[in-house]
Amino acid sequence: MRTPMVAGNWKLNGSRESATSLAREVAATPVAGVDVVVCPVSVHTAEVAEVLEGTDVKLGAQNACAHEGGAYTGEVSSTMLAEFGCEYVIIGHSERRSLFGDDNESCAARHQAVMAAGLTSIFCVGETLEDREAGNTMAVVDAQLQAVFDVCGTQAFDGAVIAYEPVWAIGTGVTASPEQAQEVHAHIREFVAAQDQQTAAKLRILYGGSVNAGNAQELFGNTDIDGGLIGGAALKSADFLAVCQAAAAQA
Ligand code: PGA
């Protein structure tokens, strides 16, 4: 039985003040049976960590460098994040891939560094609308995952989390239908199972892309959907907690 997970991706939002209040509000309502994670902007990590100490809410980050340290201006390493109590790192988010040049190979290297540091990678995959319309959804997702297997071997996702986020659904208000999402999630599990069955059976696969309090339950009700990666709806505690409750209802 997989414990559902809901992770809030705060993206480039908030101030020291608003980030800590949001964390405080989320932590004030424990949601039993769900792993709840928040991923603030990296400069807010220390203060959010302080707020979350002793609560059930876990801390994550939005990216991490493939290297431990050295001449990598602007990057943050997994070990540095771990020092603040970060347990999760989002890798390969579509905004990183489309706006900042993170490609399949560098995402695989980042994933490897996160896992090697003892943190959990939330590895994002997903197709553009063009890919979907051309019938290439599974091929795109497979290539994103295969790059990680190529670098990390058959156990690449042992203990990791995968997030399926169709690019056309992120921040658009258009969500994948539960059937569309389940189809890709089942495919991802099979793809991972072809490398390692045990990893696939326990692998949490989150859906992301315009999830909100209104559509979460229907999405999370599917066999291979183990929770969500939430953007916009993670910025208001009431909305985010409602999504967490929807995941708890499936637990
Ligand atoms: P959204 O973002 O919920 O605002 O669509 C999801 C994400 O980018 O992880």
Side-chain angles (χ1 to χ4, degrees):
M1 187 67 193
R2 300 181 291 266
T3 304
M5 177 174 172
V6 177
N9 174 10
W10 293 358
K11 307 193 180 185
L12 188 61
N13 290 294
S15 60
R16 295 168 73 180
E17 163 100 42
S18 71
T20 47
S21 337
L22 180 54
R24 201 169 288 117
E25 286 164 25
V26 170
T29 309
V31 183
V34 179
D35 286 342
V36 177
V37 182
V38 295
C39 305
V41 180
S42 63
V43 291
H44 297 150
T45 302
E47 278 163 303
V48 170
E50 237 171 78
V51 170
L52 297 182
E53 211 178 315
T55 76
D56 289 338
V57 178
K58 311 264 194 254
L59 185 61
Q62 299 174 16
N63 200 9
C65 188
H67 305 279
E68 274 295 294
Y72 303 102
T73 302
E75 294 282 283
V76 175
S77 81
S78 295
T79 311
M80 292 168 186
L81 293 165
E83 251 198 291
F84 290 101
C86 263
E87 294 178 55
Y88 295 88
V89 185
I90 299 170
I91 294 295
H93 188 278
S94 83
E95 286 146 22
R96 296 297 321 170
R97 292 175 186 267
S98 66
L99 302 172
F100 301 103
D102 292 9
D103 58 16
N104 282 353
E105 287 65 38
S106 72
C107 290
R110 289 173 193 270
H111 171 91
Q112 186 178 41
V114 168
M115 300 300 286
L119 282 74
T120 300
S121 168
I122 302 176
F123 191 82
C124 301
V125 297
E127 81 288 1
T128 62
L129 187 58
E130 203 183 2
D131 295 329
R132 177 162 282 268
E133 286 175 349
N136 290 335
T137 298
M138 304 309 183
V140 167
V141 168
D142 290 356
Q144 291 166 333
L145 296 175
Q146 188 58 49
V148 184
F149 285 120
D150 289 348
V151 170
C152 306
T154 56
Q155 312 266 298
F157 294 100
D158 186 18
V161 173
I162 291 177
Y164 168 57
E165 298 204 305
V167 178
W168 47 272
I170 296 176
T172 57
V174 181
T175 186
S177 69
E179 296 73 26
Q180 284 173 320
Q182 166 58 27
E183 186 189 17
V184 182
H185 281 232
H187 174 84
I188 290 171
R189 200 176 302 285
E190 269 169 38
F191 193 81
V192 173
Q195 300 280 343
D196 185 58
Q197 292 218 351
Q198 279 188 350
T199 297
K202 62 182 187 191
L203 179 68
R204 290 187 289 188
I205 308 176
L206 313 182
Y207 170 78
S210 298
V211 177
N212 57 42
N215 58 27
Q217 193 137 10
E218 218 190 349
L219 285 159
F220 298 166
N222 290 275
T223 325
D224 290 296
I225 305 183
D226 305 304
L229 180 55
I230 319 300
L235 296 174
K236 285 204 182 123
S237 57
D239 293 351
F240 184 64
L241 287 166
V243 173
C244 296
Q245 294 293 355
Q250 306 300 328

